[in-house]
Amino acid sequence: MKVAAYVRVSSRHQKTDSQESEIKKWLDGNGITAKQVEWYRDTESGKTLNRPAFQRLQKDIFGGKVKTVIVWKLDRLSRRLRDGVNLLADWCDRGLKIVIVTQQIELNGPVGHMIAAVLLGLAEIELEYRRERQQAGISVAKKKGIYKGRRKGTTKGKPERAIELKDKGLSPGEIATALGVSDRTVFRYLGNNAVGSRR
C-alpha cells in the first residue's frame, strides 16, 4: 500500500519543485522512504477535478492502493469549496488520512471532514480577495490610461510588461495586482529596476 504525494500547478510555466521539496521534508521526517511513495503531478486548474494525475489518484484510492494522501496545501486538491468538501468527505469516509504539509494538519474521520470544510472555505475567500485586488489594479491602470490588457498569445505577468508599467508610473503593488502575480514576482521581473521602488 502506497503513500500518495499529490502536487499541482495551474500552468506549464509553473513548477512543482517547491511543493515537492516541502513534501519530501515531511516524508523524511516521518521515516517514509521513496519506495513507499507514489507521486501524482498535475498541470491543470484547481477549478476542475477532471485532471489526469488526480483521476489516477482517485482510481488508486478506490482500488485500495492508497491509504494516505499528502499535499502541500489543501487548495492543491480543489479550488472549489463544494467539490473539495465532497471529495474530502468521501476520503474521510473511506478511512483515508490526508496530510497538509504547510498547515501541519492531518485529517481523517468526521473531525477531519469538518476542519477540511473550514480550510477550503478560507482558501476560496483568499482566492476571491486576490481576484478583487487584481481588478482593483486593473482599474487603477485604466484610469491612468496605461492598461491595454494582455496581448494575444502572450503570457500573464511578462517581465517586459512589468518594466513597461513601472516606467509609466505604477508602483510594484499596482503592477502585481494588474498582472495577477505576487509582489515578490514583480521585484524579480524588475530586477535592478525595482531597487528604487523598495525605498
Side-chain angles (χ1 to χ4, degrees):
M1 201 169 290
K2 291 280 189 180
V3 172
Y6 181 80
V7 294
R8 179 186 65 78
V9 290
S10 299
S11 74
R12 293 179 182 178
H13 302 289
Q14 298 171 309
K15 295 183 178 180
T16 60
D17 294 2
S18 59
Q19 295 179 41
E20 292 186 31
S21 175
E22 292 297 319
I23 290 174
K24 285 175 182 175
K25 285 181 185 176
W26 186 92
L27 293 170
D28 291 342
N30 286 270
I32 299 172
T33 65
K35 290 182 179 180
Q36 295 174 274
V37 182
E38 181 76 21
W39 287 88
Y40 301 79
R41 299 176 177 88
D42 264 325
T43 307
E44 297 282 347
S45 169
K47 294 178 182 179
T48 175
L49 297 179
N50 189 24
R51 308 186 296 263
F54 180 79
Q55 291 301 317
R56 182 166 63 88
L57 171 60
Q58 284 282 68
K59 183 179 179 181
D60 288 346
I61 289 171
F62 296 155
K65 296 179 182 179
V66 171
K67 275 298 179 183
T68 300
V69 178
I70 304 169
V71 293
W72 179 63
K73 283 179 67 177
L74 201 54
D75 64 8
R76 298 302 86 194
L77 294 173
S78 176
R79 281 288 194 181
R80 294 188 183 278
L81 180 59
R82 181 178 296 178
D83 288 345
V85 169
N86 290 339
L87 170 71
L88 291 166
D90 179 64
W91 283 5
C92 288
D93 288 345
R94 291 174 182 273
L96 228 65
K97 180 168 78 171
I98 304 105
V99 178
I100 303 113
V101 173
T102 55
Q103 290 149 321
Q104 298 182 354
I105 295 174
E106 294 185 10
L107 307 175
N108 54 13
V111 175
H113 177 200
M114 180 182 68
I115 295 171
V118 173
L119 292 175
L120 283 163
L122 292 173
E124 189 168 273
I125 290 169
E126 181 186 2
L127 181 62
E128 287 302 318
Y129 175 68
R130 285 180 181 174
R131 285 176 181 162
E132 288 175 3
R133 278 191 63 205
Q134 183 176 357
Q135 288 303 315
I138 290 172
S139 296
V140 169
K142 281 182 176 178
K143 286 178 182 177
K144 292 185 177 182
I146 54 178
Y147 180 76
K148 300 176 183 177
R150 239 189 292 170
R151 296 172 186 169
K152 190 174 181 180
T154 61
T155 57
K156 181 170 65 176
K158 270 195 167 183
E160 295 85 356
R161 181 62 176 154
I163 293 170
E164 180 185 340
L165 291 175
K166 180 183 179 296
D167 290 342
K168 291 184 177 180
L170 266 70
S171 70
E174 291 170 338
I175 295 170
T177 51
L179 297 180
V181 298
S182 68
D183 289 354
R184 181 181 297 179
T185 298
V186 169
F187 283 121
R188 190 175 72 247
Y189 284 168
L190 296 178
N192 294 332
N193 292 311
V195 173
S197 301
R198 289 178 184 265
R199 294 173 183 169

